[in-house]
Amino acid sequence: PVEPEDRVHYIIRKFLLNTDYIKIDDLAEELIVSRSTLQKDLKDVKVILRKFNLSFDKRPNYGLSLVGNERHIRNAMSELLFKRNTVFHMDYLNQDWLLDKNEIQIIQEIILKKLKQYNLNLSDIALNNLVVHIAIACKRIQSQQYAQLANIDNNDIIKKKEHDVAKSILHDIESKLNYSFPPVEITYVTMHLLGTKLFLDSEKTQPLSALDQEIIDVVDRVIKTVDRRLALHVS
């Protein structure tokens, strides 16, 4: 990378994908820039990472290492490494720096198979996000970095249909790609599904049946306000 913006993105990716300390001099040599130029780039990097509650730990003779909650690190990986160009087209199959292309393809195929099996319908964007989410989980597990979920009632989570879907998806990924997912990762995927689900009732074909009444009421008020102000007749 030559332009400052591209260097900043390169540095962010470097730290997000490494769990070890990185020396500033080594990074400057890798980028073919002076130490002072790298220090300026690092200031911009820190500003961006701060938005995700992430920071650097600095150790003499070791360099810098990224520190922060595992959930925040994964969120930063998703937002900064995949959604840089556009949220509507994440070309995750060509992101060989994350996982092997074939591995990501297998993850996608397993997810599609399980969604069909459990009659769970996701939008294209939600499907892409789920593939990316699990690929990031695999990458982090390779470095023995596991999700941490606080203040979650797991007894309630395991009763959800989404928990069965998540468990089945990760079981097949374990079998085919030789990863080992602890229970917390299943909970993490379950929460992801709960946040993006759209169940299609086979009898009523009414996706609204899967939503809380409070959500339906809010959406109803939003649509009526839009109709009243813009006369779009979308009710």
Side-chain angles (χ1 to χ4, degrees):
V2 177
E3 299 298 327
E5 181 184 354
D6 294 329
R7 284 200 308 271
V8 166
H9 185 260
Y10 181 93
I11 294 168
I12 288 173
R13 188 170 81 174
K14 182 87 173 178
F15 279 100
L16 284 173
L17 296 177
N18 283 276
T19 56
D20 297 328
Y21 283 86
I22 301 174
K23 292 183 178 181
I24 293 179
D25 289 336
D26 291 343
L27 189 55
E29 183 178 351
E30 183 177 334
L31 288 167
I32 320 176
V33 296
S34 67
R35 185 184 177 91
S36 60
T37 297
L38 182 60
Q39 293 284 16
K40 292 179 182 178
D41 292 338
L42 282 171
K43 287 183 180 180
D44 293 332
V45 169
K46 290 176 182 177
V47 170
I48 295 172
L49 292 177
R50 201 175 298 131
K51 296 177 182 178
F52 296 89
N53 297 312
L54 300 176
S55 60
F56 287 125
D57 177 46
K58 186 176 182 180
R59 290 181 60 186
N61 301 322
Y62 284 87
L64 300 175
S65 177
L66 189 67
V67 292
N69 181 281
E70 179 65 18
R71 179 169 58 88
H72 294 153
I73 291 175
R74 294 190 186 192
N75 185 39
M77 291 177 73
S78 176
E79 293 292 326
L80 298 175
L81 305 188
F82 282 95
K83 298 184 179 180
R84 186 176 182 228
N85 296 321
T86 170
V87 99
F88 297 106
H89 178 69
M90 292 184 289
D91 192 11
Y92 50 78
L93 289 178
N94 291 322
Q95 306 295 339
D96 287 338
W97 48 264
L98 183 63
L99 290 180
D100 180 83
K101 183 176 180 179
N102 292 330
E103 286 189 322
I104 297 183
Q105 181 72 53
I106 289 171
I107 291 172
Q108 183 188 53
E109 291 172 354
I110 289 173
I111 291 174
L112 288 171
K113 176 184 175 183
K114 294 302 178 181
L115 292 178
K116 183 177 181 180
Q117 177 182 334
Y118 284 90
N119 194 31
L120 178 61
N121 192 46
L122 298 181
S123 68
D124 288 344
I125 295 174
L127 172 62
N128 288 352
N129 286 341
L130 183 56
V131 173
V132 168
H133 166 81
I134 294 178
I136 289 174
C138 291
K139 180 68 175 181
R140 296 297 291 172
I141 287 172
Q142 285 179 343
S143 303
Q144 297 184 331
Q145 303 295 322
Y146 301 99
Q148 301 168 341
L149 295 171
N151 303 321
I152 298 296
D153 186 356
N154 203 49
N155 291 326
D156 183 54
I157 290 288
I158 62 178
K159 296 176 184 177
K160 303 286 187 180
K161 180 176 181 179
E162 289 84 355
H163 186 269
D164 294 334
V165 180
K167 188 175 181 179
S168 185
I169 288 173
L170 295 185
H171 176 270
D172 280 19
I173 293 174
E174 283 183 331
S175 299
K176 291 195 174 184
L177 299 181
N178 199 31
Y179 288 100
S180 181
F181 296 96
V184 67
E185 297 289 351
I186 299 175
T187 302
Y188 207 85
V189 173
T190 301
M191 293 181 65
H192 190 94
L193 288 170
L194 284 168
T196 58
K197 73 176 182 179
L198 179 60
F199 277 107
L200 295 180
D201 191 311
S202 58
E203 296 180 1
K204 301 178 182 178
T205 64
Q206 290 292 329
L208 291 180
S209 63
L211 301 176
D212 293 334
Q213 186 60 44
E214 183 180 2
I215 296 175
I216 297 174
D217 293 341
V218 170
V219 172
D220 184 55
R221 291 200 299 273
V222 169
I223 292 176
K224 286 180 179 177
T225 301
V226 170
D227 263 356
R228 185 174 65 254
R229 294 187 181 184
L230 302 179
L232 295 176
H233 308 293
V234 295
S235 295

